[in-house]
Structures are given as structure tokens and as C-alpha cells.
Amino acid sequence: MTDHPLRLIGVLRAIGILTVLVTIASCPNGRAAAPAQNAMPEVPHDAHSYAVPQSARVTHVSLDLTPDFETHKLSGTATLSITRAPNARQVVLDTRDLTIRRVTDGRGATLTFEVGPAKAFLGSPLTITLPEAGNTLAIEYETAPSAAAVQWLAPVQTAGKKLPFLFTQGEAVLTRSWVPTQDSPGIRQTYGATIRVPSGMRAVMSADHVPPDAGEKDAQGRTAFRFSMTKAIAPYLFALAVGDIAFEPIGKNTGVYAEPSVAGKAASEFAEVDQMMAAAERLFGPYRWGRYDILVLPPSFPYGGMENPTLTFATPTVLAGDRSLVNLVAHELAHSWSGNLVTNATWDDFWLNEGFTTYIEGRIMEELRGRAYADMLRVGGRQDMQAAVREVGGPESPDTRLHLELTGKDPDAAMGGVAYEKGAAFLQTVESIVGRTRLDAFLRDYFDRFAFQPMTSTRLVALMNDKLLQPGEADRIGIQKWIFEPGVPPNAPPVQSEALEAVDAQVATWKNGGATSALQTTKWSTQEWLHFLRALPETVPSARLAELDRAFAFSQSGNSEILFAWLKIAIRNRFQPAFPALEKFLLSQGRLKFIAPLYADLEKTDWGRKIAIEIYRRARPTYHFVSTNTIDQTLKWREGQ
Ligand SMILES: [Zn+2]
């Protein structure tokens, strides 16, 4: 995932608007101690699931769901296949805010069930009494309009403005709010689905499409789309989107789903996806998921991207027009190995997903654009790492460990940015000691050997000792320290970029009065432009900013990252000629990473509140509630303002 809600915590905390509700829930008792009753496959204990997989575990989920865009509910049936120990009398599932209407054995016989008390972020256990024999459960249910995983967009929040849209976001523990199942990353399940949508709309999922591709009319006049995921995945990767969605192919097994006005542009932006795929396969072994498509979400999508298998969900703000922000796709594609194939067994080891992925993202971009380009990304990554460490309270903070202890904590509020860049720095350190050839061979074997399996930090360390490291190397790396202790060990290999150092030299000259026309920028990439903007002094006279804008047209930039960096400078210096661009940017997209800091920066000044409120009044109906929830607090928004 990129822009994981928790990666944003730093941003939000820095601007003083985050209320992190860490609710200490009592750990469900007695589950870890349950005796192994038979040869049920072992699943690591997960403090964030009520499931008792040693007794009965879900192996397949078959959904038949109808979204209602008026009431904001999904309703229908989840038919589960389970395996059970011989003496198992009940199965325990995870649910959150679901209304369970009826449970049967799949042949019509009613089964008794009980929905336990709801706990913060964990939801409620659904305990079903099993029949004497049989491994099928059919659960009739509906979701709540406030279901944490399901986001309903009004037409005004889409690019086309005509039809509503919905999408789901399952990571970390949200799938239970739309699918009653065992919602633990260690309990992998295959799934199938029939999704019945209003005529004129299309459903897509993180699964293979079952023909016909255009769906089939059902008895109620809806269009039924069918899906099948035959590979067992972690349930946080179940994903659905419904809306006015068109398809544009890129390669033989790759393409883009998006609103019709966006699909063509997106396919051209992501044209390199086949090269990325070839690079990733060359390095880390075969892609095992069949197709790889990218769903570009409507402008109000509050996040960066989510690696739903076969179908990455992505923000439209990566469509820069010049393919300069596609490392987001490299990141989500890399998750097809680290995360989706070999998966963190519990959220304590979230870094096994994100740290490995961030490292691989760098390697894919290096194959695609060369070492110098990848080094620029790595320099940025190290800056992000230092920022992430500061945000959680500095290097002594236990939150800077890679392996976390999240029992009793909401994983969606406790997994921070450290996992991404400290995790990548750990693998860079291993690489610096064992060399690339040996590390690559190890990683390839790791993805082969543990494909479709859960992984833990302890297991990884044992594997590295067994398969990778020669005597003395574990100590030279300091594996235990890197993974289980706070802070960043000093042996991370330095990352350097000659290109960015050259930018620094030019900024220094410019700061000392050097002419804007003397800046040598013709070959600059997005990374160099961003480095330039971030290196400018806190205070820059308006005349100098006007010079820069005339020379480089920052206010007209179609690159969301560059425009964002520029608008922050404009607010900091009250550079009014850029304010129309600021207004346009805030009105045209709702990615939280961009809009939250800009509103907060305006609010912080003694002149910007009026501007912020005026823009927000118009923009607010187009934003997602994840965004308005945050910005309402920043601006102390009241209806009628
Ligand atoms: Zn990720």
C-alpha cells in the first residue's frame, strides 16, 4: 500500500490535527492455548482475529452481493467452505457492524449462531454451531452504511459526475465489515463472487473475471458480474469496486480500468507496466497471478494505492502525463511477491510486506530507469525514514522497531511509516554485506518456497541464517538489532545521488542571488525538481517566486507532487499569483496526502483561514469522508460556514 493511513499519521501529527484513538481492548482469551487437536495446518496466533483456526477454519468464500446505492448497503449471502477438526462443534468468524439474518448448512437447514459483543476495531465474533457433518455455511447478511471497508461515492465525487461509485479497502482489519469470515492474514482463502449492479455500471474485483466480460442480466434487471480467485489469499486482499468503469488494454495480460474519461490517459501513463513486470520476474521469479490490471479510482480516492491481487487500486493523481510518478505502480506490483505471495502472518510483522516491497520497488525502478534514478529515490527514502523515526518520538521509541507488538492496539492506527523505509534499509544493509547476487538468489528462493504462505520475523531470521548467511555475517549485519530493537543501526549503507548533489549546488548559487535564468534544469527529472523545491529557503521574496513561476510554470504543473511542493512554498510566502492554482488543485482531487497539509498550512497563517474556508465549502462535497473527517478538525468546520 502507498499512503497507508498510518504513513499519513506523521503528516497529520506534524500539523496537529490527528486524534489517534488507541483503544486498549482486552485480548480475546484462551485461543493461543487451545490444544492442537489434529493435523489442521498450523496458523500463527493473531491477536486481531477471533478465529480459532485449530478447530475450524475457512478455506473458501463465495459471495452473492447486491450493492444498494440509495441505502449504502451491500446485502446477500456469503457461503463459506471450512475444514474442521473431528471434534469441532463450532466455528468462529470475524464480523464488524454486519447484520446477520440467517445461517444455514447450505442445504436449507438453519444453524444457530451468536454475535458476540463488539470491541473497538476488532468488531464482534460470530460463533456458529456446526452440524454433525458438513463443511458448508451459508450466511445471509447485510453491511452497515458506515461499514469501515466500504466507501460510497456520490456522482459529484467522480470524474464523470453521472453515476455513483463504490470501492472497498480491506487492509488491515476492515474486510470483516463487508465479508463475514476469518479475517486474519495467516488464514488464506480462495474466493468467488457474483455482484449484481444497476444497469450501466460495472463491477471489478481482485480476482479473475468469469465470462461474459460484460456481465449477464439477472431476473431483477441488474447486471451480474462473476469472479473467481482460485489462489488462496489473505482476506484483507478481497476487494470490490463498482461504477462507470471502462477498460483499456496495455499489454497481453495488463490493462487499466477507470472511468471512461480517464481510461485512455491512464493506459498511456502506465505503458511501462509490462517492462516493470519483466524486470520483477527477472529478479524475483514468475508472476503467479495471471493478469495484472490497474484500477484508477475517482478523484476523491483518499489514498495512493492498494495492492489488491490482479487489480491494483490507484489514485488518479499519479497521472502526471509524463510517466514520472509510476514508481507507485512499481510498488504495488512488487506486492505481488512481497505481501500477496509471502504474507505477514500477523500485523506485528507488517514490515515483511512493506519493507520488502519498498526495497523491490527500488530494484524495479533501477531496472527500468537506471542506477542514478533509483539512487534519487533511495535518498528520498532515507529522508522519509528519518522523518518517520522523528514522528514516532525518535530512535528510542519502541515504535521504531520493525517487528511490532500490536496486541491490544488497532493495527490501522499503529503501523507506521518506519516499516517501509527502515525495512528497505535493512535489506540494503544485507545486500551491502552479502552482495546482490547472493541476496537476489535468496529472495527468489524465498518467494518460491513460501509462495502463498504466511511469514514471521522469527522465521525469516532462521531462514537467513540457514540459507543466506555465512559465519559472522549475521553479526556484521546485526539482524536481531535491526528487526527487534528500536532505532536505525549505524551500518545502513550510505545512499548518495550525484544528480541531487548537483541540484543542491545550484540551489546554493540561486539562494546567494544567482539568476533564475542561470539554473541548468533541462534534463531534470521529477525527483530533481522535488529536491530543488524542498531545498528552497523558508522565506523567498515574491519577486523571486514570480521569476521561478515564469521560468518553470510550477503553478501550471500537471505533476501532482511538484505542484504540491510548489503550493506549500506559495502558502508559506503568501505568494498570491499561485492561489488560483491552489484553489484548482484543492477542488480537483481529494488525496489526503496532498489536501490535508495544504489546508493546515493555510489555517496556520494569520490570513489564510478565510481562503481555506471558502475553498473547502465548495470542495467538501467532492471529498471522501476519510478526508473531510480530518479536515473538518483542522478547520474546526461547522455546517453553514
Ligand atoms: Zn505497500
Side-chain angles (χ1 to χ4, degrees):
M1 192 176 188
T2 41
D3 300 4
H4 187 278
L6 286 309
R7 291 194 92 181
L8 292 169
I9 278 189
V11 177
L12 306 182
R13 190 175 283 150
I15 53 187
I17 52 176
L18 185 79
T19 325
V20 185
L21 296 170
V22 179
T23 312
I24 306 300
S26 59
C27 174
N29 288 325
R31 294 181 296 122
Q37 288 147 322
N38 66 348
M40 297 282 287
E42 203 155 303
V43 172
H45 171 66
D46 179 1
H48 296 105
S49 169
Y50 292 104
V52 189
Q54 312 89 313
S55 174
R57 65 174 283 183
V58 177
T59 57
H60 179 78
V61 177
S62 177
L63 300 169
D64 189 328
L65 293 176
T66 302
D68 185 329
F69 285 91
E70 297 295 316
T71 61
H72 291 183
K73 289 175 179 176
L74 291 163
S75 62
T77 309
T79 304
L80 310 186
S81 306
I82 60 166
T83 56
R84 53 194 283 190
N87 57 352
R89 291 292 165 264
Q90 56 185 37
V91 60
V92 187
L93 309 178
D94 296 297
T95 70
R96 181 170 167 186
D97 302 327
L98 298 182
T99 302
I100 308 295
R101 304 229 173 273
R102 184 165 178 251
V103 182
T104 70
D105 66 357
R107 293 187 302 266
T110 300
L111 302 177
T112 58
F113 67 90
E114 188 190 347
V115 179
K119 287 182 181 162
F121 61 83
L122 293 175
S124 305
L126 167 60
T127 305
I128 299 168
T129 304
L130 292 173
E132 283 301 316
N135 294 316
T136 304
L137 308 164
I139 303 164
E140 293 168 29
Y141 74 103
E142 71 180 31
T143 61
S146 60
V150 190
Q151 321 288 342
W152 303 86
L153 305 181
V156 69
Q157 296 169 313
T158 66
K161 317 276 183 214
K162 287 204 296 277
L163 291 172
F165 198 99
L166 88 77
F167 67 90
T168 63
Q169 163 63 38
E171 192 179 11
V173 291
L174 308 180
T175 289
R176 63 193 69 182
S177 74
W178 74 285
V179 181
T181 189
Q182 293 176 328
D183 188 12
S184 170
I187 306 180
R188 304 182 82 97
Q189 299 148 39
T190 53
Y191 85 90
T194 300
I195 307 293
R196 302 169 192 280
V197 307
S199 169
M201 298 178 90
R202 175 178 206 151
V204 291
M205 294 191 88
S206 55
D208 294 334
H209 296 223
V210 177
D213 227 34
E216 285 173 300
K217 281 269 173 281
D218 74 4
Q220 279 72 42
R222 297 190 196 89
T223 313
F225 290 89
R226 291 177 218 283
F227 303 91
S228 170
M229 171 48 80
T230 56
K231 302 177 175 73
I233 60 173
Y236 73 87
L237 296 170
F238 294 178
L240 166 68
V242 179
D244 184 7
I245 298 172
F247 177 72
E248 193 72 43
I250 297 176
K252 189 160 156 279
N253 289 311
T254 49
V256 167
Y257 289 94
E259 290 189 73
S261 65
V262 177
K265 184 183 175 188
S268 130
E269 193 80 21
F270 301 142
E272 293 158 302
V273 68
D274 286 1
Q275 282 167 264
M276 289 185 185
M277 178 68 81
E281 289 195 303
R282 212 157 48 233
L283 290 168
F284 304 113
Y287 177 79
R288 298 171 190 249
W289 304 92
R291 292 197 58 86
Y292 179 76
D293 296 316
I294 301 161
L295 171 67
V296 178
L297 284 132
S300 65
F301 185 57
Y303 307 121
M306 177 64 208
E307 65 271 21
N308 298 312
T310 74
L311 186 64
T312 282
F313 284 20
T315 168
T317 64
V318 295
L319 305 176
D322 60 2
R323 303 176 186 171
S324 58
L325 299 177
V326 295
N327 57 304
L328 180 134
V329 173
H331 180 96
E332 307 309 341
L333 176 65
H335 273 303
S336 305
W337 285 262
S338 46
N340 297 1
L341 199 58
V342 182
T343 310
N344 52 211
T346 70
W347 297 111
D348 287 355
D349 284 323
F350 175 60
W351 81 276
L352 292 175
N353 283 10
E354 295 300 347
F356 276 59
T357 293
T358 304
Y359 173 80
I360 293 174
E361 170 194 344
R363 294 292 304 276
I364 294 174
M365 291 312 292
E366 184 173 329
E367 292 282 310
L368 216 66
R369 303 265 163 90
R371 179 84 195 212
Y373 186 89
D375 280 343
M376 289 194 284
L377 291 176
R378 290 185 187 112
V379 169
R382 289 295 175 88
Q383 289 165 352
D384 288 350
M385 177 179 75
Q386 296 304 343
V389 168
R390 279 195 302 276
E391 282 152 16
V392 295
E396 306 294 315
S397 163
D399 295 344
T400 60
R401 290 171 303 172
L402 288 177
H403 172 79
L404 296 168
E405 285 154 22
L406 298 178
T407 300
K409 295 183 183 165
D410 180 356
D412 279 311
M415 304 184 309
V418 172
Y420 292 75
E421 295 295 347
K422 184 184 168 186
F426 165 69
L427 287 172
Q428 289 159 6
T429 307
V430 176
E431 182 193 310
S432 72
I433 287 173
V434 307
R436 241 184 207 188
T437 311
R438 279 168 59 202
L439 177 60
D440 286 358
F442 171 80
L443 288 175
R444 200 182 167 119
D445 180 61
Y446 169 84
F447 292 125
D448 262 352
R449 194 184 294 262
F450 298 98
F452 305 105
Q453 290 181 46
M455 181 57 59
T456 65
S457 288
T458 310
R459 201 170 180 191
L460 174 75
V461 172
L463 270 173
M464 284 189 151
N465 281 321
D466 188 30
K467 303 275 180 208
L468 175 65
L469 302 176
Q470 290 166 1
E473 287 179 338
D475 288 341
R476 281 173 61 204
I477 296 166
I479 291 197
Q480 292 290 330
K481 215 172 165 47
W482 267 98
I483 297 177
F484 297 101
E485 292 180 25
V488 180
N491 66 337
V495 289
Q496 271 175 314
S497 159
E498 277 179 29
L500 296 185
E501 283 162 14
V503 172
D504 284 333
Q506 292 212 53
V507 171
T509 310
W510 189 85
K511 276 202 290 204
N512 290 325
T516 296
S517 59
L519 290 166
Q520 300 294 316
T521 63
T522 39
K523 291 199 177 124
W524 277 8
S525 65
T526 293
Q527 271 57 41
E528 285 153 304
W529 281 114
L530 288 173
H531 193 76
F532 173 78
L533 289 170
R534 287 170 189 159
L536 291 180
E538 277 294 300
T539 309
V540 184
S542 279
R544 289 291 261 170
L545 290 177
E547 261 176 49
L548 287 177
D549 209 8
R550 256 198 313 277
F552 307 120
F554 290 128
S555 296
Q556 272 74 54
S557 178
N559 182 307
S560 58
E561 297 280 356
I562 290 174
L563 183 59
F564 171 67
W566 170 248
L567 292 174
K568 282 184 68 75
I569 294 166
I571 294 172
R572 205 160 73 214
N573 291 283
R574 202 175 180 178
F575 179 61
Q576 298 191 24
F579 287 6
L582 171 66
E583 179 177 335
K584 194 170 153 214
F585 189 56
L586 290 171
L587 283 166
S588 62
Q589 53 79 37
R591 187 173 174 187
L592 195 53
K593 172 186 162 183
F594 295 141
I595 63 175
L598 292 174
Y599 282 111
D601 285 356
L602 282 169
E603 170 76 15
K604 264 195 313 219
T605 66
D606 53 10
W607 51 264
R609 178 173 169 78
K610 191 160 170 281
I611 296 172
I613 294 284
E614 267 168 23
I615 298 173
Y616 189 53
R617 183 182 301 122
R618 285 185 290 145
R620 194 174 179 278
T622 71
Y623 291 157
H624 190 267
F625 89 89
V626 165
S627 302
T628 55
N629 204 23
T630 300
I631 297 162
D632 281 359
Q633 291 179 55
T634 316
L635 298 180
K636 298 168 204 72
W637 171 262
R638 295 184 318 277
E639 280 304 330
Q641 263 182 320

mmCIF file with all atom_site columns, all heavy atoms in Angstrom, residues 1-2 171 305 307 331-332 335 353-354 357-358 420, ligand 1:
data_model
loop_
_atom_site.group_PDB
_atom_site.id
_atom_site.type_symbol
_atom_site.label_atom_id
_atom_site.label_alt_id
_atom_site.label_comp_id
_atom_site.label_asym_id
_atom_site.label_entity_id
_atom_site.label_seq_id
_atom_site.pdbx_PDB_ins_code
_atom_site.Cartn_x
_atom_site.Cartn_y
_atom_site.Cartn_z
_atom_site.occupancy
_atom_site.B_iso_or_equiv
_atom_site.pdbx_formal_charge
_atom_site.auth_seq_id
_atom_site.auth_comp_id
_atom_site.auth_asym_id
_atom_site.auth_atom_id
_atom_site.pdbx_PDB_model_num
ATOM   1   N  N   . MET A 1 1   ? 0.849  -1.185 0.000  1.00 0.00 ? 1   MET A N   1
ATOM   2   C  CA  . MET A 1 1   ? 0.000  0.000  0.000  1.00 0.00 ? 1   MET A CA  1
ATOM   3   C  C   . MET A 1 1   ? 0.887  1.238  0.000  1.00 0.00 ? 1   MET A C   1
ATOM   4   O  O   . MET A 1 1   ? 1.959  1.236  0.576  1.00 0.00 ? 1   MET A O   1
ATOM   5   C  CB  . MET A 1 1   ? -0.844 -0.041 1.265  1.00 0.00 ? 1   MET A CB  1
ATOM   6   C  CG  . MET A 1 1   ? -1.963 0.947  1.306  1.00 0.00 ? 1   MET A CG  1
ATOM   7   S  SD  . MET A 1 1   ? -2.917 0.657  2.808  1.00 0.00 ? 1   MET A SD  1
ATOM   8   C  CE  . MET A 1 1   ? -4.282 1.747  2.530  1.00 0.00 ? 1   MET A CE  1
ATOM   9   N  N   . THR A 1 2   ? 0.453  2.273  -0.663 1.00 0.00 ? 2   THR A N   1
ATOM   10  C  CA  . THR A 1 2   ? 1.126  3.561  -0.504 1.00 0.00 ? 2   THR A CA  1
ATOM   11  C  C   . THR A 1 2   ? 0.130  4.519  0.107  1.00 0.00 ? 2   THR A C   1
ATOM   12  O  O   . THR A 1 2   ? -1.070 4.355  -0.062 1.00 0.00 ? 2   THR A O   1
ATOM   13  C  CB  . THR A 1 2   ? 1.615  4.125  -1.853 1.00 0.00 ? 2   THR A CB  1
ATOM   14  O  OG1 . THR A 1 2   ? 0.607  3.890  -2.820 1.00 0.00 ? 2   THR A OG1 1
ATOM   15  C  CG2 . THR A 1 2   ? 2.880  3.444  -2.300 1.00 0.00 ? 2   THR A CG2 1
ATOM   16  N  N   . GLU A 1 171 ? -7.358 -3.730 3.975  1.00 0.00 ? 171 GLU A N   1
ATOM   17  C  CA  . GLU A 1 171 ? -6.227 -3.692 4.895  1.00 0.00 ? 171 GLU A CA  1
ATOM   18  C  C   . GLU A 1 171 ? -6.437 -2.596 5.932  1.00 0.00 ? 171 GLU A C   1
ATOM   19  O  O   . GLU A 1 171 ? -6.842 -1.500 5.560  1.00 0.00 ? 171 GLU A O   1
ATOM   20  C  CB  . GLU A 1 171 ? -4.929 -3.416 4.107  1.00 0.00 ? 171 GLU A CB  1
ATOM   21  C  CG  . GLU A 1 171 ? -3.687 -3.652 4.947  1.00 0.00 ? 171 GLU A CG  1
ATOM   22  C  CD  . GLU A 1 171 ? -2.393 -3.407 4.152  1.00 0.00 ? 171 GLU A CD  1
ATOM   23  O  OE1 . GLU A 1 171 ? -2.460 -2.864 3.044  1.00 0.00 ? 171 GLU A OE1 1
ATOM   24  O  OE2 . GLU A 1 171 ? -1.346 -3.757 4.677  1.00 0.00 ? 171 GLU A OE2 1
ATOM   25  N  N   . GLY A 1 305 ? -2.264 4.036  -3.220 1.00 0.00 ? 305 GLY A N   1
ATOM   26  C  CA  . GLY A 1 305 ? -2.543 2.802  -3.944 1.00 0.00 ? 305 GLY A CA  1
ATOM   27  C  C   . GLY A 1 305 ? -2.711 1.632  -3.003 1.00 0.00 ? 305 GLY A C   1
ATOM   28  O  O   . GLY A 1 305 ? -2.282 1.691  -1.852 1.00 0.00 ? 305 GLY A O   1
ATOM   29  N  N   . GLU A 1 307 ? -2.559 -2.802 -3.154 1.00 0.00 ? 307 GLU A N   1
ATOM   30  C  CA  . GLU A 1 307 ? -2.077 -3.905 -4.000 1.00 0.00 ? 307 GLU A CA  1
ATOM   31  C  C   . GLU A 1 307 ? -3.055 -5.062 -4.127 1.00 0.00 ? 307 GLU A C   1
ATOM   32  O  O   . GLU A 1 307 ? -2.653 -6.226 -4.036 1.00 0.00 ? 307 GLU A O   1
ATOM   33  C  CB  . GLU A 1 307 ? -0.750 -4.413 -3.436 1.00 0.00 ? 307 GLU A CB  1
ATOM   34  C  CG  . GLU A 1 307 ? -0.824 -5.065 -2.027 1.00 0.00 ? 307 GLU A CG  1
ATOM   35  C  CD  . GLU A 1 307 ? -0.651 -4.100 -0.865 1.00 0.00 ? 307 GLU A CD  1
ATOM   36  O  OE1 . GLU A 1 307 ? -0.862 -2.888 -1.062 1.00 0.00 ? 307 GLU A OE1 1
ATOM   37  O  OE2 . GLU A 1 307 ? -0.317 -4.562 0.244  1.00 0.00 ? 307 GLU A OE2 1
ATOM   38  N  N   . HIS A 1 331 ? 5.660  -0.101 -6.903 1.00 0.00 ? 331 HIS A N   1
ATOM   39  C  CA  . HIS A 1 331 ? 5.443  -0.504 -5.504 1.00 0.00 ? 331 HIS A CA  1
ATOM   40  C  C   . HIS A 1 331 ? 4.307  -1.527 -5.409 1.00 0.00 ? 331 HIS A C   1
ATOM   41  O  O   . HIS A 1 331 ? 4.475  -2.606 -4.841 1.00 0.00 ? 331 HIS A O   1
ATOM   42  C  CB  . HIS A 1 331 ? 5.145  0.733  -4.651 1.00 0.00 ? 331 HIS A CB  1
ATOM   43  C  CG  . HIS A 1 331 ? 4.908  0.429  -3.201 1.00 0.00 ? 331 HIS A CG  1
ATOM   44  N  ND1 . HIS A 1 331 ? 5.899  0.533  -2.251 1.00 0.00 ? 331 HIS A ND1 1
ATOM   45  C  CD2 . HIS A 1 331 ? 3.813  -0.019 -2.539 1.00 0.00 ? 331 HIS A CD2 1
ATOM   46  C  CE1 . HIS A 1 331 ? 5.424  0.168  -1.076 1.00 0.00 ? 331 HIS A CE1 1
ATOM   47  N  NE2 . HIS A 1 331 ? 4.148  -0.160 -1.220 1.00 0.00 ? 331 HIS A NE2 1
ATOM   48  N  N   . GLU A 1 332 ? 3.170  -1.186 -5.983 1.00 0.00 ? 332 GLU A N   1
ATOM   49  C  CA  . GLU A 1 332 ? 2.016  -2.088 -5.860 1.00 0.00 ? 332 GLU A CA  1
ATOM   50  C  C   . GLU A 1 332 ? 2.284  -3.404 -6.589 1.00 0.00 ? 332 GLU A C   1
ATOM   51  O  O   . GLU A 1 332 ? 1.899  -4.469 -6.120 1.00 0.00 ? 332 GLU A O   1
ATOM   52  C  CB  . GLU A 1 332 ? 0.737  -1.419 -6.385 1.00 0.00 ? 332 GLU A CB  1
ATOM   53  C  CG  . GLU A 1 332 ? 0.400  -0.047 -5.783 1.00 0.00 ? 332 GLU A CG  1
ATOM   54  C  CD  . GLU A 1 332 ? 0.394  0.020  -4.258 1.00 0.00 ? 332 GLU A CD  1
ATOM   55  O  OE1 . GLU A 1 332 ? 0.289  -1.033 -3.607 1.00 0.00 ? 332 GLU A OE1 1
ATOM   56  O  OE2 . GLU A 1 332 ? 0.517  1.141  -3.724 1.00 0.00 ? 332 GLU A OE2 1
ATOM   57  N  N   . HIS A 1 335 ? 4.289  -5.833 -4.578 1.00 0.00 ? 335 HIS A N   1
ATOM   58  C  CA  . HIS A 1 335 ? 3.496  -6.560 -3.584 1.00 0.00 ? 335 HIS A CA  1
ATOM   59  C  C   . HIS A 1 335 ? 2.980  -7.899 -4.122 1.00 0.00 ? 335 HIS A C   1
ATOM   60  O  O   . HIS A 1 335 ? 2.562  -8.753 -3.342 1.00 0.00 ? 335 HIS A O   1
ATOM   61  C  CB  . HIS A 1 335 ? 2.300  -5.725 -3.129 1.00 0.00 ? 335 HIS A CB  1
ATOM   62  C  CG  . HIS A 1 335 ? 2.589  -4.787 -1.999 1.00 0.00 ? 335 HIS A CG  1
ATOM   63  N  ND1 . HIS A 1 335 ? 3.095  -5.203 -0.785 1.00 0.00 ? 335 HIS A ND1 1
ATOM   64  C  CD2 . HIS A 1 335 ? 2.411  -3.441 -1.883 1.00 0.00 ? 335 HIS A CD2 1
ATOM   65  C  CE1 . HIS A 1 335 ? 3.224  -4.154 0.021  1.00 0.00 ? 335 HIS A CE1 1
ATOM   66  N  NE2 . HIS A 1 335 ? 2.819  -3.069 -0.618 1.00 0.00 ? 335 HIS A NE2 1
ATOM   67  N  N   . ASN A 1 353 ? 5.800  -7.171 4.671  1.00 0.00 ? 353 ASN A N   1
ATOM   68  C  CA  . ASN A 1 353 ? 5.109  -6.727 3.453  1.00 0.00 ? 353 ASN A CA  1
ATOM   69  C  C   . ASN A 1 353 ? 5.737  -5.442 2.905  1.00 0.00 ? 353 ASN A C   1
ATOM   70  O  O   . ASN A 1 353 ? 6.140  -5.369 1.751  1.00 0.00 ? 353 ASN A O   1
ATOM   71  C  CB  . ASN A 1 353 ? 3.628  -6.437 3.735  1.00 0.00 ? 353 ASN A CB  1
ATOM   72  C  CG  . ASN A 1 353 ? 2.781  -7.699 3.860  1.00 0.00 ? 353 ASN A CG  1
ATOM   73  O  OD1 . ASN A 1 353 ? 3.302  -8.798 3.926  1.00 0.00 ? 353 ASN A OD1 1
ATOM   74  N  ND2 . ASN A 1 353 ? 1.469  -7.520 3.904  1.00 0.00 ? 353 ASN A ND2 1
ATOM   75  N  N   . GLU A 1 354 ? 5.789  -4.408 3.744  1.00 0.00 ? 354 GLU A N   1
ATOM   76  C  CA  . GLU A 1 354 ? 6.099  -3.073 3.221  1.00 0.00 ? 354 GLU A CA  1
ATOM   77  C  C   . GLU A 1 354 ? 7.595  -2.797 3.058  1.00 0.00 ? 354 GLU A C   1
ATOM   78  O  O   . GLU A 1 354 ? 7.998  -2.113 2.121  1.00 0.00 ? 354 GLU A O   1
ATOM   79  C  CB  . GLU A 1 354 ? 5.451  -1.996 4.096  1.00 0.00 ? 354 GLU A CB  1
ATOM   80  C  CG  . GLU A 1 354 ? 3.925  -2.025 4.065  1.00 0.00 ? 354 GLU A CG  1
ATOM   81  C  CD  . GLU A 1 354 ? 3.332  -1.825 2.668  1.00 0.00 ? 354 GLU A CD  1
ATOM   82  O  OE1 . GLU A 1 354 ? 4.056  -1.426 1.734  1.00 0.00 ? 354 GLU A OE1 1
ATOM   83  O  OE2 . GLU A 1 354 ? 2.114  -2.090 2.516  1.00 0.00 ? 354 GLU A OE2 1
ATOM   84  N  N   . THR A 1 357 ? 8.733  -4.713 0.029  1.00 0.00 ? 357 THR A N   1
ATOM   85  C  CA  . THR A 1 357 ? 8.149  -4.090 -1.162 1.00 0.00 ? 357 THR A CA  1
ATOM   86  C  C   . THR A 1 357 ? 8.864  -2.792 -1.523 1.00 0.00 ? 357 THR A C   1
ATOM   87  O  O   . THR A 1 357 ? 9.116  -2.517 -2.699 1.00 0.00 ? 357 THR A O   1
ATOM   88  C  CB  . THR A 1 357 ? 6.642  -3.852 -0.941 1.00 0.00 ? 357 THR A CB  1
ATOM   89  O  OG1 . THR A 1 357 ? 6.006  -5.132 -0.871 1.00 0.00 ? 357 THR A OG1 1
ATOM   90  C  CG2 . THR A 1 357 ? 6.029  -3.047 -2.055 1.00 0.00 ? 357 THR A CG2 1
ATOM   91  N  N   . THR A 1 358 ? 9.200  -1.999 -0.516 1.00 0.00 ? 358 THR A N   1
ATOM   92  C  CA  . THR A 1 358 ? 9.889  -0.737 -0.793 1.00 0.00 ? 358 THR A CA  1
ATOM   93  C  C   . THR A 1 358 ? 11.269 -1.018 -1.384 1.00 0.00 ? 358 THR A C   1
ATOM   94  O  O   . THR A 1 358 ? 11.716 -0.343 -2.325 1.00 0.00 ? 358 THR A O   1
ATOM   95  C  CB  . THR A 1 358 ? 9.982  0.107  0.494  1.00 0.00 ? 358 THR A CB  1
ATOM   96  O  OG1 . THR A 1 358 ? 8.656  0.284  1.006  1.00 0.00 ? 358 THR A OG1 1
ATOM   97  C  CG2 . THR A 1 358 ? 10.599 1.462  0.230  1.00 0.00 ? 358 THR A CG2 1
ATOM   98  N  N   . TYR A 1 420 ? 8.220  0.802  6.143  1.00 0.00 ? 420 TYR A N   1
ATOM   99  C  CA  . TYR A 1 420 ? 8.563  0.923  4.720  1.00 0.00 ? 420 TYR A CA  1
ATOM   100 C  C   . TYR A 1 420 ? 10.069 1.164  4.535  1.00 0.00 ? 420 TYR A C   1
ATOM   101 O  O   . TYR A 1 420 ? 10.762 0.387  3.892  1.00 0.00 ? 420 TYR A O   1
ATOM   102 C  CB  . TYR A 1 420 ? 7.794  2.098  4.092  1.00 0.00 ? 420 TYR A CB  1
ATOM   103 C  CG  . TYR A 1 420 ? 6.301  1.905  3.993  1.00 0.00 ? 420 TYR A CG  1
ATOM   104 C  CD1 . TYR A 1 420 ? 5.482  2.005  5.118  1.00 0.00 ? 420 TYR A CD1 1
ATOM   105 C  CD2 . TYR A 1 420 ? 5.692  1.652  2.774  1.00 0.00 ? 420 TYR A CD2 1
ATOM   106 C  CE1 . TYR A 1 420 ? 4.108  1.848  5.022  1.00 0.00 ? 420 TYR A CE1 1
ATOM   107 C  CE2 . TYR A 1 420 ? 4.315  1.492  2.665  1.00 0.00 ? 420 TYR A CE2 1
ATOM   108 C  CZ  . TYR A 1 420 ? 3.532  1.589  3.793  1.00 0.00 ? 420 TYR A CZ  1
ATOM   109 O  OH  . TYR A 1 420 ? 2.175  1.429  3.686  1.00 0.00 ? 420 TYR A OH  1
HETATM 110 ZN ZN  . ZN  B 2 .   ? 2.805  -1.077 0.125  1.00 0.00 ? 1   ZN  B ZN  1
#
